[in-house]
Amino acid sequence: MNTLFGATTVTAHGHGLTSQRARDRLVATLRAEGIKDARVLDVIRTLPRHLFIDEALAARAYENTALPIGLDQTISQPWVVARMTELLLEPGVPQRVLEIGTGSGYQAAVLSELVGTVYTVERIEELLRKARRLFRSMKIENIRSRHDDGNIGWRDEAPFDAIVLTAAGESVPRALFEQLAEGGVLVAPLGPPGTQRLTRFRRAGDDWQREEFEGVSFVPLLGGLG
Ligand code: SAH
């Protein structure tokens, strides 16, 4: 865990649309839209989301909306990041978390403040390189990342206490279930485009408890490398 962002990147007198005031407003919106976990809201309040998107869009960084990050991909909507993180933490704080779909790196950075170590896999090398640069410049030291097809997980680092998919498929790739520790939790947007739902699985031996939550809209989980 680290707590560096707030102190190093938010000035007491910040103004404009990337200011602390804009972040506070975003947190108020998330709370009004049902996010309850104070730990998650605190991270979103301090983490500079504008660094994860193009400068041209920075003024919109604290709107509750997904934004393009190039290569046909998006940084997820803050509400979605908050909700997935909340669903992941609810059963207990996981030590080792696998994320499929690094994208901008924002979800991984949010998790890095709350869990032990984040392992994140991205199929598009250019996005991964950018995210890595950002993690370094923000001095985040508990994120490991890998350029690979996330459908096969990260075998050498398994098992994970929690797995989060930030791209949507009709079902969860088998390898990911296999890499989840006993008692572990997996959160994913599942279903065909237009009817995806946040879905949470909990592993109990060979049994999987499945719960469905809100409807969402994610980019697709693709196969192979980008
Ligand atoms: N977590 C990201 C969301 C990015 S959008 C963020 O906070 O910004 C989803 C990402 O999943 C995209 O970057 C896309 O390239 C990636 N992706 C899609 N299919 C994948 C796969 N099979 N393996 C790894 N990454 C994948």
Side-chain angles (χ1 to χ4, degrees), residues 73-74 99 101-104 107 122-124 149-151 166 222:
Q73 305 303 323
T74 55
E99 178 196 31
T102 314
S104 69
Q107 170 79 73
E122 171 59 55
R123 64 183 285 280
I124 301 178
D149 177 356
N151 284 296
T166 68
L222 302 174

Side-chain angles (χ1 to χ4, degrees), residues 52-67:
F52 292 83
I53 58 180
D54 219 62
E55 252 176 81
L57 289 170
R60 303 187 56 198
Y62 301 98
E63 292 175 15
N64 185 23
T65 172
L67 293 167

Side-chain angles (χ1 to χ4, degrees), residues 35-222:
I35 304 298
K36 294 193 175 67
D37 192 318
R39 296 166 295 184
V40 176
L41 292 168
D42 272 352
V43 173
I44 290 188
R45 185 180 293 113
T46 51
L47 190 64
R49 187 170 183 259
H50 64 276
L51 300 182
F52 292 83
I53 58 180
D54 219 62
E55 252 176 81
L57 289 170
R60 303 187 56 198
Y62 301 98
E63 292 175 15
N64 185 23
T65 172
L67 293 167
I69 54 172
L71 299 152
D72 273 345
Q73 305 303 323
T74 55
I75 179 172
S76 305
Q77 181 193 6
W79 181 87
V80 165
V81 172
R83 186 70 178 126
M84 287 187 111
T85 308
E86 190 171 70
L87 289 172
L88 215 64
L89 295 182
E90 206 172 47
V93 175
Q95 261 312 301
R96 300 159 56 77
V97 179
L98 174 67
E99 178 196 31
I100 305 303
T102 314
S104 69
Y106 180 69
Q107 170 79 73
V110 168
L111 285 168
S112 78
E113 287 266 291
L114 297 162
V115 308
T117 306
V118 180
Y119 298 82
T120 184
V121 180
E122 171 59 55
R123 64 183 285 280
I124 301 178
E125 196 165 16
E126 193 178 327
L127 290 177
L128 188 61
R129 266 204 227 111
K130 257 199 204 164
R132 279 178 176 154
R133 230 179 289 136
L134 210 47
F135 299 151
R136 254 198 310 276
S137 73
M138 296 172 85
K139 305 212 173 3
I140 301 176
E141 285 169 0
N142 59 340
I143 299 180
R144 313 268 173 277
S145 60
R146 179 180 172 84
H147 178 222
D148 208 345
D149 177 356
N151 284 296
I152 61 170
W154 192 332
R155 196 178 302 268
D156 292 350
E157 295 293 351
F160 300 96
D161 304 312
I163 299 179
V164 58
L165 279 77
T166 68
E170 306 254 345
S171 61
V172 175
R174 185 190 189 82
L176 298 183
F177 275 138
E178 289 170 358
Q179 292 176 23
L180 196 60
E182 173 62 28
V185 178
L186 183 147
V187 174
L190 288 185
T195 57
Q196 299 164 7
R197 280 192 170 279
L198 288 181
T199 308
R200 178 168 68 186
F201 296 87
R202 283 201 239 185
R203 179 172 202 167
D206 287 332
D207 254 17
W208 297 93
Q209 185 200 349
R210 179 187 172 128
E211 302 163 275
E212 287 193 4
F213 299 92
E214 295 85 354
V216 286
S217 175
F218 273 80
V219 297
L221 182 72
L222 302 174

